[in-house]
Amino acid sequence: MSEQKPVWKSDMDEIDEKLIRLIQDGIEFTHSPFAAAAVELGISEDEIVSHLKKLIEEKKIRRFGASIGHIALGFTANGMGVWDIPEDKIEEIGQKMASFHEVSHCYQRPRSEEWPYNMYTMIHGRTQDECKAVAEKISIAVGISEYKLVFSERELKKKGVRI
Amino acid sequence: MAAVQNKPVELDEIDRKLINLIQLNFPVSAHPFEDIAAEIGTTEDVVIDKLSRLKKEGVIRRIGPIINTRGIGGTNTLAAVKVPENQIDKAAAVINRYDEVSHNYLRNEEYNIWFTVSAPTQDRLNQILSEIQTELDCPLLDLPTIKQFKIQVNFHV
């Protein structure tokens, strides 16, 4: 198997790319968390802030903030709802599913004979029953009863995207 | 399912305020912890102490940029493999070897290992999936996003 490292040829400018590489594993909790990166890049901390704001505006960064260890918070149940939705109702039902605050991710994905589901909703809860109740509530709201809730039994990796 | 038996970390009122704030409204500024302190009515030292403790206890994994793979010209997918029960650990090791694999979960389903891959190019993504499938010799589902209706991870405490 190949052991090559990913090579990101993004359309980011060089400073943006270097900046992300410097801070992507997390900033230090200090008065001036960008001071070291500023020295490294030869720009001011305020300029770093401007770069970050621009990256967020351009949607190259989804957000700047904390990644939470949800298990430590007691959100131990993680149910992936997979739904079989008629193609002509995807848009309407996708919007409706996304409006539930308990749903963190809602994606349309391709179905196949082997796996006939075309919509995915991620539901986090403190218990599996809590997730099941949410899925049932969604099922009734959108009028789709063809679904499965697939629970996570073990986290094998969670790292977040790095470049 | 060891994690289920773990007791959640105990939080006080300031911890809760901090956790709710730093997920979606972390201030992008030169001195963010000072700004947070002003926002919730405490001192920067308290904020830094509290956040450091929450990080040590695993409540905070990191504070940093959440990269939008497609926004920077890359691509990603959700994939699932159907692996025999006694080969799960081996399969997890094979899949997790790739830096491009960001999340990986064992799930209670016939397709039992579900993972996300983010790569700079479609070629590289295809190469990774094909190598995994070859090495594990098992059925694989490649489920790229057709449409994203929502991504808003927020644990309210």
Side-chain angles (χ1 to χ4, degrees), chain A residues 26-37 45 64, chain B residues 26-27 29-37 43-52 55 63:
Chain A
I27 58 171
E28 303 223 345
F29 301 169
T30 62
H31 178 63
S32 301
F34 300 110
E45 291 164 66
F64 188 98
Chain B
F26 189 87
S29 73
H31 308 295
F33 303 110
E34 191 174 69
D35 295 346
I36 291 170
T43 65
E44 186 181 31
D45 284 345
V46 168
V47 169
I48 287 175
D49 282 353
K50 289 271 190 192
L51 292 180
S52 302
K55 177 135 194 254
I63 293 178

Side-chain angles (χ1 to χ4, degrees), chain A:
Chain A
M1 75 162 264
S2 67
E3 296 287 347
Q4 72 192 79
K5 283 263 171 190
V7 182
W8 290 88
K9 270 183 284 180
S10 64
D11 50 355
M12 278 188 288
D13 71 40
E14 209 185 312
I15 295 219
D16 286 340
E17 200 168 317
K18 277 190 186 157
L19 170 61
I20 290 183
R21 286 188 206 278
L22 284 169
I23 61 174
Q24 64 183 348
D25 286 329
I27 58 171
E28 303 223 345
F29 301 169
T30 62
H31 178 63
S32 301
F34 300 110
V39 169
E40 187 81 21
L41 294 170
I43 61 176
S44 70
E45 291 164 66
D46 285 338
E47 282 174 287
I48 288 194
V49 168
S50 305
H51 277 273
L52 287 175
K53 286 185 171 161
K54 186 172 74 86
L55 286 165
I56 292 168
E57 209 172 285
E58 294 171 346
K59 298 191 162 52
K60 291 172 179 166
I61 293 177
R62 220 183 279 292
R63 63 185 170 90
F64 188 98
S67 298
I68 295 296
H70 49 86
I71 292 170
L73 277 182
F75 291 89
T76 50
N78 150 353
M80 182 179 70
V82 297
W83 308 77
D84 177 2
I85 294 171
E87 295 300 325
D88 62 341
K89 289 204 162 167
I90 286 279
E91 188 60 37
E92 179 202 332
I93 290 182
Q95 303 286 359
K96 215 167 193 176
M97 288 177 154
S99 72
F100 282 82
H101 71 88
E102 299 95 333
V103 170
S104 63
H105 302 69
C106 180
Y107 289 175
Q108 181 193 358
R109 299 184 184 279
R111 63 162 98 242
S112 61
E113 265 179 43
E114 178 73 12
W115 188 255
Y117 304 99
N118 57 353
M119 190 76 89
Y120 291 68
T121 53
M122 198 58 74
I123 302 165
H124 292 278
R126 291 181 171 84
T127 62
Q128 293 200 351
D129 282 346
E130 202 179 301
C131 298
K132 283 178 192 163
V134 172
E136 197 48 34
K137 190 168 71 174
I138 296 172
S139 165
I140 291 163
V142 299
I144 299 285
S145 51
E146 290 304 308
Y147 76 93
K148 270 204 269 200
L149 196 54
V150 187
F151 284 103
S152 158
E153 294 180 331
R154 203 181 346 144
E155 187 177 275
L156 303 171
K157 186 177 190 180
K158 183 171 188 283
K159 178 167 166 275
V161 177
R162 302 287 195 277
I163 63 168

Side-chain angles (χ1 to χ4, degrees), chain B residues 28 34 38 44 47 51 62 70 100 104 135 138 142 150:
Chain B
V28 180
E34 191 174 69
E44 186 181 31
V47 169
L51 292 180
R62 72 181 167 111
R70 295 191 183 203
E100 291 92 338
N104 189 0
E135 187 156 351
C138 65
D142 177 15
K150 183 181 196 179

